[in-house]
Every structure is written in structure tokens, then in C-alpha cells.
Amino acid sequence: MQQLVLQLVWVASILLILFMLTWGFNYQRQPMMAPLSSELRYPLTQDLEAIGTRIVNGINENHAALPSSPASNPRLAPADTVRILSELIEASFQTTESIGPAALGEYHLPKPLAAESLMSLLGIRAFYFPFTGEVSYTPAVPIAELPFAIARAKAYQRGYAREDEARFVAFLVCTTASDPIVRYSGFLHAVEVLETLENSRIGSFRPQLAEGPRAELKLLEDYWGATLHYYPSRLTETLFDFHLRVNRESRGIASQRQEVPLIV
């Protein structure tokens, strides 16, 4: 038994070293907003209202334009849909100047994760594996969420290790893409910004959403409500929280909500 424990510690130590050498040191990078910290100011109420209105308009307008997206063709095979989405996301990365040199480079297509049902059960939408440098995705993820999930994993791939920054980069990349289905996914993710503003009694935005996006949000809520199970998803959250805290993300999984101030 003692020998087995020693072997497990040895394997874990080797994996930790490999993780740090291949990707883990990205957690020690300067936060992306640090150079601008002296220029930042707390936004005025009218600024926040304008941001909320822009998100609402982005959701409504891009939902209306979804039929024009080549990725929305129902005759496409799932793999072809993901290929088109990945190419659109990569093209947007290349033209998003605000993320600097990380925008550059060419990366392989995302791969479908095995054990699709298990990944959905755990709430895993897309995943970056640092040891191989590959992005994978869960095929069952609804198309409205898939572009953002892939963009977020591609942000990890480019070295944005902090959770709030990876989500913020994904939001930037998606909402400035050339295709409505990718833009829609980015703006739809920002519904949490609308919720934050409304909870702060700044405007009333969700009632302004068109019927289509409201129905989409309800479908997503129902899908994940039926797919996620408490203990497996809770285990995923606990392990991810531990991973973030070990890598000096003091807020742990709560740092996911820190993208809201970045977007604002």
C-alpha cells in the first residue's frame, strides 16, 4: 500500500511539472487589464444602460440573422458545422487586435470529446488539454452555446489561463465575428451581464429580448436542468475550484463572474 501511494505521488509530481512547463505558468502572467488600471473609471449609470442596450440589440439582431449563417444549414453534418464555427472563430481571433499577439497563430480543429453523455452530465461544454495543446468539445452542447464554449477553450489555448480573462476574450472574439451565429452565442452568454445590471436596479433589459431569444434561453435552461445531475456537476465544480485556487486564483470558481466587470 505504501509503495502504491509513493508511486501515485511520483506520477502526480511528474504530471504537475509537465503541466507547469506546457501551460501552467500562464497563471503567473500579468492580468490583461493591469496596464490600463490607472485609466479605468467606474462607469456612469448611463454608460451601464448603454452597455445593457447593446447586449440586448446584439442578441435580437443576430438571432434574426441566424438563417444567413452557413453553420445554420440543417443539412450539414455535425462535424462540418463545428469545422465552419472553428474557422469563423479563428478568423475573428486574427482580427481582434485588443488581445495582442495572442490573436496570431493557426490551431487544429476542435475534436469531439468521447463519452458525450458523461461530459454533458458533468456540464463540460468544451475543454483544453494542455499536454497535447488540443481543444475538444462535447457534441451534445446546444448550438447557441457551442461557439462561445469553443472560443473560451481557444482562449485557454492561447495562454489566457485566468477564468475571467478567458471568458472575456471569448466574448470579444464572438461578438466581433463576421458570422451571426458566432456573434449571437457571444451576446447570449452576456445575459449574465443583464442580470447583474438588473440586480443593481440599472434598467430592465430581459423583457426587451425578442420572443426567439427568450424561447432559446428557456430551452437552454430546460436542457441543462434535465442533463445536469447534482453530485457529478458539483464534483466538477469542486475540482475546478481546487484547480483554480492551487494556481493562485484566490476566488476559485467564483472568478467566472469576474468577467462581468471586464465586459462592462
Side-chain angles (χ1 to χ4, degrees):
M1 182 65 180
Q2 182 179 4
Q3 184 179 4
L4 176 61
V5 171
L6 290 174
Q7 289 175 339
L8 290 175
V9 170
W10 181 82
V11 171
S13 300
I14 295 297
L15 289 176
L16 177 61
I17 293 171
L18 288 175
F19 171 76
M20 295 303 296
L21 291 176
T22 55
W23 190 75
F25 282 118
N26 285 307
Y27 280 104
Q28 315 309 319
R29 294 172 58 181
Q30 177 179 253
M32 66 185 300
M33 298 303 289
L36 302 175
S37 58
S38 61
E39 304 174 18
L40 295 177
R41 63 174 179 84
Y42 190 80
L44 302 174
T45 299
Q46 55 264 38
D47 296 329
L48 295 172
E49 290 175 344
I51 290 169
T53 300
R54 179 171 180 261
I55 292 172
V56 168
N57 291 339
I59 293 173
N60 289 340
E61 292 170 2
N62 286 292
H63 182 272
L66 288 181
S68 67
S69 170
S72 65
N73 186 342
R75 291 177 292 181
L76 283 176
D80 290 330
T81 299
V82 171
R83 175 182 57 78
I84 292 173
L85 292 176
S86 180
E87 291 171 353
L88 291 167
I89 292 166
E90 281 295 334
S92 188
F93 263 107
Q94 306 299 322
T95 56
T96 305
E97 297 179 357
S98 56
I99 63 176
L104 305 178
E106 295 183 6
Y107 297 88
H108 297 296
L109 290 174
K111 295 181 177 179
L113 282 166
E116 177 180 340
S117 298
L118 176 61
M119 296 300 105
S120 296
L121 186 72
L122 297 173
I124 296 174
R125 293 161 173 80
F127 182 79
Y128 171 66
F129 193 61
F131 298 112
T132 62
E134 294 176 321
V135 168
S136 298
Y137 68 95
T138 302
V141 171
I143 188 66
E145 291 187 333
L146 188 57
F148 182 87
I150 291 175
R152 174 188 170 199
K154 284 179 173 291
Y156 293 139
Q157 192 178 38
R158 286 168 160 83
Y160 287 96
R162 294 182 178 87
E163 183 64 15
D164 55 342
E165 294 183 358
R167 287 170 169 252
F168 176 57
V169 168
F171 171 79
L172 283 179
V173 168
C174 285
T175 55
T176 56
S178 62
D179 185 85
I181 198 168
V182 180
R183 294 195 300 269
Y184 176 65
S185 183
F187 281 115
L188 197 66
H189 174 78
V191 163
E192 64 184 32
V193 176
L194 302 182
E195 294 172 350
T196 300
L197 294 177
E198 290 177 339
N199 290 338
S200 301
R201 298 184 179 180
I202 299 174
S204 179
F205 300 103
R206 287 176 66 101
Q208 300 177 40
L209 293 174
E211 182 178 349
R214 287 204 306 269
E216 186 99 64
L217 289 170
K218 182 64 169 63
L219 286 172
L220 291 174
E221 181 182 348
D222 292 344
Y223 172 79
W224 289 112
T227 302
L228 291 177
H229 288 264
Y230 177 79
Y231 291 108
S233 60
R234 183 61 179 165
L235 175 62
T236 303
E237 291 179 359
T238 301
L239 292 175
F240 191 43
D241 182 78
F242 176 76
H243 163 77
L244 293 174
R245 292 181 186 277
V246 165
N247 286 284
R248 300 184 182 181
E249 284 262 21
S250 60
R251 298 180 299 272
I253 201 169
S255 63
Q256 292 179 337
R257 297 291 297 180
Q258 292 304 116
E259 68 171 317
V260 173
L262 290 176
I263 293 174
V264 170

PDB file of all heavy atoms in Angstrom, residues 22 67 83 118 144 166 187 194:
ATOM      1  N   THR A  22       4.234  23.087 -19.740  1.00  0.00           N
ATOM      2  CA  THR A  22       3.498  23.200 -21.000  1.00  0.00           C
ATOM      3  C   THR A  22       2.512  24.352 -21.007  1.00  0.00           C
ATOM      4  O   THR A  22       2.232  24.928 -22.062  1.00  0.00           O
ATOM      5  CB  THR A  22       2.733  21.895 -21.311  1.00  0.00           C
ATOM      6  OG1 THR A  22       1.881  21.569 -20.194  1.00  0.00           O
ATOM      7  CG2 THR A  22       3.700  20.751 -21.565  1.00  0.00           C
ATOM      8  N   PRO A  67     -30.514  32.643 -39.966  1.00  0.00           N
ATOM      9  CA  PRO A  67     -30.645  31.862 -41.212  1.00  0.00           C
ATOM     10  C   PRO A  67     -29.574  32.162 -42.258  1.00  0.00           C
ATOM     11  O   PRO A  67     -29.332  31.333 -43.141  1.00  0.00           O
ATOM     12  CB  PRO A  67     -32.036  32.257 -41.724  1.00  0.00           C
ATOM     13  CG  PRO A  67     -32.787  32.666 -40.504  1.00  0.00           C
ATOM     14  CD  PRO A  67     -31.765  33.348 -39.634  1.00  0.00           C
ATOM     15  N   ARG A  83     -16.528  22.497 -37.882  1.00  0.00           N
ATOM     16  CA  ARG A  83     -15.415  22.998 -38.700  1.00  0.00           C
ATOM     17  C   ARG A  83     -15.659  24.440 -39.123  1.00  0.00           C
ATOM     18  O   ARG A  83     -14.769  25.291 -39.023  1.00  0.00           O
ATOM     19  CB  ARG A  83     -15.247  22.105 -39.940  1.00  0.00           C
ATOM     20  CG  ARG A  83     -14.190  22.624 -40.925  1.00  0.00           C
ATOM     21  CD  ARG A  83     -14.112  21.737 -42.149  1.00  0.00           C
ATOM     22  NE  ARG A  83     -15.397  21.613 -42.827  1.00  0.00           N
ATOM     23  CZ  ARG A  83     -15.902  22.558 -43.625  1.00  0.00           C
ATOM     24  NH1 ARG A  83     -15.235  23.686 -43.848  1.00  0.00           N
ATOM     25  NH2 ARG A  83     -17.075  22.370 -44.213  1.00  0.00           N
ATOM     26  N   LEU A 118     -21.501  11.469 -20.552  1.00  0.00           N
ATOM     27  CA  LEU A 118     -20.828  11.760 -19.285  1.00  0.00           C
ATOM     28  C   LEU A 118     -20.392  13.218 -19.236  1.00  0.00           C
ATOM     29  O   LEU A 118     -20.548  13.889 -18.206  1.00  0.00           O
ATOM     30  CB  LEU A 118     -19.628  10.843 -19.099  1.00  0.00           C
ATOM     31  CG  LEU A 118     -18.760  11.107 -17.858  1.00  0.00           C
ATOM     32  CD1 LEU A 118     -19.590  10.923 -16.588  1.00  0.00           C
ATOM     33  CD2 LEU A 118     -17.544  10.187 -17.858  1.00  0.00           C
ATOM     34  N   ALA A 144     -26.441  27.135 -29.746  1.00  0.00           N
ATOM     35  CA  ALA A 144     -26.394  28.520 -29.279  1.00  0.00           C
ATOM     36  C   ALA A 144     -25.241  28.762 -28.319  1.00  0.00           C
ATOM     37  O   ALA A 144     -24.755  29.888 -28.185  1.00  0.00           O
ATOM     38  CB  ALA A 144     -27.716  28.898 -28.607  1.00  0.00           C
ATOM     39  N   ALA A 166     -10.298  34.416 -19.867  1.00  0.00           N
ATOM     40  CA  ALA A 166     -10.639  33.504 -20.968  1.00  0.00           C
ATOM     41  C   ALA A 166     -12.071  33.751 -21.436  1.00  0.00           C
ATOM     42  O   ALA A 166     -12.355  33.780 -22.644  1.00  0.00           O
ATOM     43  CB  ALA A 166     -10.469  32.049 -20.524  1.00  0.00           C
ATOM     44  N   PHE A 187     -23.136  37.221 -27.503  1.00  0.00           N
ATOM     45  CA  PHE A 187     -24.074  38.131 -26.838  1.00  0.00           C
ATOM     46  C   PHE A 187     -25.011  37.374 -25.903  1.00  0.00           C
ATOM     47  O   PHE A 187     -25.368  37.884 -24.836  1.00  0.00           O
ATOM     48  CB  PHE A 187     -24.876  38.922 -27.880  1.00  0.00           C
ATOM     49  CG  PHE A 187     -24.127  40.083 -28.471  1.00  0.00           C
ATOM     50  CD1 PHE A 187     -23.781  40.108 -29.808  1.00  0.00           C
ATOM     51  CD2 PHE A 187     -23.770  41.166 -27.675  1.00  0.00           C
ATOM     52  CE1 PHE A 187     -23.090  41.180 -30.354  1.00  0.00           C
ATOM     53  CE2 PHE A 187     -23.078  42.251 -28.205  1.00  0.00           C
ATOM     54  CZ  PHE A 187     -22.741  42.263 -29.546  1.00  0.00           C
ATOM     55  N   LEU A 194     -26.675  41.358 -18.137  1.00  0.00           N
ATOM     56  CA  LEU A 194     -28.004  41.969 -17.994  1.00  0.00           C
ATOM     57  C   LEU A 194     -28.574  41.670 -16.615  1.00  0.00           C
ATOM     58  O   LEU A 194     -29.165  42.552 -15.973  1.00  0.00           O
ATOM     59  CB  LEU A 194     -28.945  41.441 -19.074  1.00  0.00           C
ATOM     60  CG  LEU A 194     -28.529  41.652 -20.537  1.00  0.00           C
ATOM     61  CD1 LEU A 194     -29.609  41.117 -21.470  1.00  0.00           C
ATOM     62  CD2 LEU A 194     -28.252  43.115 -20.821  1.00  0.00           C
TER      63      LEU A 194
END
